[in-house]
Amino acid sequence: MATKHYSEYLCNMMKILIILALFISAVSIKTQNFVKITDLSNPIVSDAGSLPGSYAGATWVDYDNDGLLDLFINRQNNSAFPLYRNLGNGNFQRITPNPITFPGSSKGNSWADYNNDGNIDLFITGDSPRGSFLYKNNGNGTFSKIISGAIGDSVGNSGWACAWGDYNKDGYTDLIITYPDGFLNPPSHPNRLFLNNGNGTFTRIDTSSVSNTIAPFTIPSWSDYDLDADLDLFIGSGPINFAAPDYLYKNNLTETSVPFFSRITTSPIATDSIDGQQWNWIDYDNDGDLDGFVTNWGLGIKNRLYKNNNGSYERMTQATAGDIVAEDGEFLANTWGDFDNDGDQDCFITLDGPEPGPPSRYYNNNGNGTFTRVLNTPIAANAGPNYGATSGDYDNDGDLDLYVSGTTNSKGLYRNDLVNGNSWINILCKGSGAPNGSNKSGIGVKVRIKAVINGNSVWQLREISAQNSFDCHNMLNVHFGLGNAVVIDSLIIAWPGGIHDVYTNVLLNNHYIANEGESIDPIGILQLNNNIPADFVIEQNYPNPFNPTTKFRFSIPSFSDVNITIYDVTGKEVSVPLNGKLKPGIYEFNWNAGALSSGVYFYSITAGEFKQTRKMVLLK
């Protein structure tokens, strides 16, 4: 009898171990997705040794409007800052001669089309005696440094960080420059707030409460945290040797029709004493409002996550939010994105310190309001110190990649090779411009989508920002992960100018351009003509063999649910690049094989009751 009980015990223990192993494997598949790029033929890698950048940032931005994210990196003690043009297929080219000259070291950068001419421009902050500069994008690969007017006072505009945002909602982006008293070369001065006059010039506003005080101001972030349709301002103000509340300002434009700022006093977001660095407002729990997160630098104070409960705020603890608020350290950037495409936002946090120092932190959102620190991924194992971090889908494969700034040894480009099959969507929002529309860069746009994920109807929210990391920002495209959803039921774009565009039954796994008040157009799928074909037809993909992109062309005779699924030779599903409703027509769809290895694959296209499968060959 004892032997029988012992056998049953061993059997039960084996079952438990198998379940645990499967769980650990599932977590690993979900989170182990970043690969550090080490190929020296990539100039982003080979230049690392010549790019010192203490407390400097980097940003993904499509400066040449070719649909590919390029990379800009701030640096120290050099006369020019590198701009890397994305050539596609994971390749980059350092632009020479360098179009962005700068006579000294720089900390922060922020990008926006300040003059609404269709080309995105750059502002760089720097220390005195060199100061800060505005670079106008000429649209031909060159930039012009603006040295006239109030915005051209480089020394007077010296600062640590900067951020574009249309705080008066006139269709032009305005600018805030923060100055950290005690951290840069004297003389100290208040922050600089510049109102965009709409004619290429700016007026410096010295009477605002955000620009008439001297303090250790660090990173500024514009966000409509209370969702009242105007941009508020949040500034970290880490004094290092003691703790104090950050500088948080509410914009009273909606309430009074006048754009002026008043200091927020709401507890605990505005009363907690911390060494605050960088604020973000994100809907981490998908409940429809924006929650606050701020990194803290030292003093034994942990990072802060504030849950928004219908306008009141609750500071999360380790018991309520998990690992993300459990550690103390010299934290700087917090960069949010759905890195595993499961339908909720994860967080990457950089950590300052000696060299070599402790690695940065990657926290996976568990989908229940808590976060788990992930250790088994290269991006969370690289020795620091690290400063800024910027996320963007530079290889257009539907997941978010990361570039992390740091010293010559700690900086790095990390490609996200996600293979869990989760769906996604990427949207570039283009405002129609003044006088009646929103700024061309879409800064301040809020996008909501609804889809059924794991059997539950889920709303997600994103807000476009030009400063949502430490001295830098993520790509301006909006990215959503959608898990096992098969279609986006509703997509709502709330433009700063007041227009709300609503779309239904939006296709998954695609890049879109959303034009204010006009349309949302898929980039990967093209309807070749408006003729209604007589039959359902799938043509052979081309090119074939391919590396790594190919085209699928098909015809559908009626309004149909269309699905494209990719299988390997074992019959295993490896990708679902298209799933949604299409009207009758002839279509061409571009597909990127991403991280898939060379081999034979099959693609199956289903439209209603019709289905065909063809073979293709990937050669890398």
Side-chain angles (χ1 to χ4, degrees):
M1 184 68 74
T3 302
K4 178 181 179 181
H5 288 166
Y6 183 67
S7 298
E8 290 177 349
Y9 168 78
L10 286 178
C11 183
N12 290 333
M13 286 300 298
M14 286 299 295
K15 290 179 180 178
I16 293 173
L17 289 174
I18 290 172
I19 292 172
L20 181 61
L22 290 173
F23 172 77
I24 293 172
S25 175
V27 171
S28 298
I29 290 172
K30 182 177 182 180
T31 57
Q32 285 186 338
N33 44 30
F34 288 102
V35 175
K36 187 172 185 178
I37 304 302
T38 58
D39 182 1
L40 291 176
S41 67
N42 186 330
I44 295 175
V45 177
S46 59
D47 287 354
S50 62
L51 295 176
S54 179
Y55 300 106
T59 294
W60 291 110
V61 60
D62 183 9
Y63 84 96
D64 54 0
N65 292 328
D66 66 351
L68 297 170
L69 292 177
D70 313 298
L71 183 66
F72 172 79
I73 303 176
N74 287 87
R75 65 194 296 189
Q76 271 187 303
N77 303 322
N78 288 277
S79 60
F81 298 139
L83 180 61
Y84 297 96
R85 183 170 181 264
N86 191 338
L87 302 177
N89 298 333
N91 299 316
F92 289 84
Q93 173 189 17
R94 184 173 178 178
I95 303 302
T96 55
N98 197 306
I100 302 171
T101 58
F102 194 87
S105 64
S106 168
K107 301 296 184 187
N109 71 87
S110 185
W111 293 76
D113 183 3
Y114 80 91
N115 55 1
N116 286 342
D117 67 350
N119 303 305
I120 196 161
D121 312 294
L122 167 65
F123 196 88
I124 298 176
T125 52
D127 200 353
S128 85
R130 300 174 182 89
S132 307
F133 290 94
L134 171 63
Y135 293 84
K136 178 182 176 293
N137 187 340
N138 299 315
N140 59 1
T142 67
F143 290 78
S144 297
K145 184 189 297 182
I146 305 301
I147 58 175
S148 61
I151 202 73
D153 180 8
S154 60
V155 176
N157 297 332
S158 60
W160 183 275
C162 55
W164 294 101
D166 184 6
Y167 79 88
N168 65 345
K169 296 175 61 174
D170 66 348
Y172 292 98
T173 50
D174 312 299
L175 184 71
I176 179 72
I177 304 170
T178 50
Y179 188 92
D181 181 44
F183 292 87
L184 295 181
N185 293 330
S188 293
H189 60 73
N191 298 326
R192 300 305 194 209
L193 178 64
F194 286 100
L195 179 68
N196 191 331
N197 298 321
N199 59 2
T201 68
F202 294 81
T203 298
R204 198 172 92 186
I205 308 297
D206 295 329
T207 57
S208 172
S209 58
V210 306
S211 58
N212 62 8
T213 302
I214 292 179
F217 296 108
T218 309
I219 306 298
S221 299
W222 297 101
S223 178
D224 182 13
Y225 86 112
D226 52 3
L227 301 181
D228 68 347
D230 55 31
L231 285 180
D232 311 293
L233 182 61
F234 300 84
I235 306 177
S237 52
I240 286 188
N241 55 348
F242 64 92
D246 280 340
Y247 286 80
L248 316 182
Y249 300 94
K250 175 176 170 53
N251 188 347
N252 295 282
L253 175 62
T254 296
E255 291 82 2
T256 66
S257 299
V258 177
F260 75 93
F261 297 93
S262 57
R263 188 89 179 259
I264 296 172
T265 59
T266 306
S267 177
I269 61 172
T271 58
D272 274 1
S273 288
I274 57 176
D275 192 352
Q277 297 299 311
Q278 179 231 325
W279 278 84
N280 259 315
W281 288 89
I282 65 278
D283 185 12
Y284 80 94
D285 51 2
N286 288 339
D287 67 350
D289 53 26
L290 293 174
D291 312 289
F293 188 88
V294 59
T295 43
N296 183 85
W297 195 96
L299 301 178
I301 302 172
K302 297 174 174 58
N303 296 326
R304 300 293 203 236
L305 175 62
Y306 299 100
K307 178 177 170 56
N308 187 343
N309 296 314
N310 297 316
S312 64
Y313 299 91
E314 176 186 1
R315 192 174 84 198
M316 295 288 98
T317 65
Q318 185 175 5
T320 56
D323 295 341
I324 197 168
V325 292
E327 301 179 86
D328 57 73
E330 298 172 352
F331 295 110
L332 295 175
N334 61 96
T335 302
W336 292 79
D338 189 356
F339 296 107
D340 54 11
N341 284 348
D342 66 348
D344 45 48
Q345 295 187 77
D346 314 297
C347 186
F348 177 74
I349 299 179
T350 61
L351 187 61
D352 193 6
E355 185 177 8
S360 295
R361 305 293 195 257
Y362 177 73
Y363 297 98
N364 181 68
N365 189 331
N366 299 317
N368 59 1
T370 68
F371 294 80
T372 299
R373 181 182 170 189
V374 178
L375 300 172
N376 57 350
T377 180
I379 203 164
N382 186 58
N386 291 126
Y387 310 120
T390 176
S391 70
D393 184 7
Y394 80 84
D395 51 1
N396 283 346
D397 66 349
D399 51 40
L400 293 174
D401 313 294
L402 276 166
Y403 180 84
V404 184
S405 66
T407 64
T408 54
N409 296 317
S410 64
K411 61 170 59 73
L413 171 61
Y414 295 85
R415 187 184 67 231
N416 188 347
D417 288 346
L418 192 62
V419 293
N420 60 14
N422 285 342
S423 297
W424 54 274
I425 188 174
N426 182 306
I427 308 169
L428 175 63
C429 295
K430 291 188 174 183
S432 58
N436 300 313
S438 305
N439 67 88
K440 286 289 185 72
S441 300
I443 294 170
V445 165
K446 289 183 283 294
V447 182
R448 288 182 169 88
I449 66 169
K450 184 179 73 170
V452 176
I453 303 175
N454 296 326
N456 299 312
S457 184
V458 178
W459 279 100
Q460 297 185 61
L461 169 63
R462 301 286 189 273
E463 183 181 39
I464 299 176
S465 172
Q467 190 69 216
N468 49 17
S469 187
F470 188 88
D471 267 330
C472 57
H473 59 91
N474 301 327
M475 68 173 182
L476 296 180
N477 301 52
V478 173
H479 171 271
F480 291 93
L482 288 153
N484 59 4
V486 297
V487 70
I488 296 171
D489 299 326
S490 299
L491 188 154
I492 303 173
I493 304 177
W495 299 88
I499 292 176
H500 285 64
D501 291 327
V502 180
Y503 305 95
T504 59
N505 296 320
V506 180
L507 290 170
L508 302 174
N509 302 322
N510 215 333
H511 292 77
Y512 290 86
I513 295 178
N515 299 289
E516 182 179 11
E518 295 180 6
S519 63
I520 182 168
D521 302 314
I523 297 175
I525 186 167
L526 176 67
Q527 185 172 359
L528 300 180
N529 57 56
N530 294 320
N531 298 330
I532 298 178
D535 299 301
F536 172 74
V537 176
I538 294 180
E539 300 180 21
Q540 183 65 47
N541 68 297
Y542 66 96
N544 187 40
F546 66 98
N547 175 28
T549 59
T550 189
K551 299 178 185 291
F552 304 128
R553 182 174 291 184
F554 56 94
S555 304
I556 54 175
S558 60
F559 191 86
S560 304
D561 291 307
V562 178
N563 174 281
I564 299 179
T565 302
I566 314 296
Y567 302 92
D568 64 16
V569 291
T570 69
K572 178 183 176 182
E573 178 184 304
V574 296
S575 179
V576 184
L578 182 64
N579 197 336
K581 295 183 180 296
L582 290 177
K583 62 185 179 181
I586 301 173
Y587 291 89
E588 187 174 82
F589 182 79
N590 298 318
W591 181 63
N592 188 323
L596 293 178
S597 58
S598 297
V600 175
Y601 293 88
F602 298 88
Y603 63 97
S604 177
I605 301 183
T606 303
E609 61 183 12
F610 301 100
K611 181 176 182 179
Q612 287 187 17
T613 301
R614 291 184 180 271
K615 182 172 72 172
M616 60 184 176
V617 178
L618 171 61
L619 290 179
K620 288 190 172 181

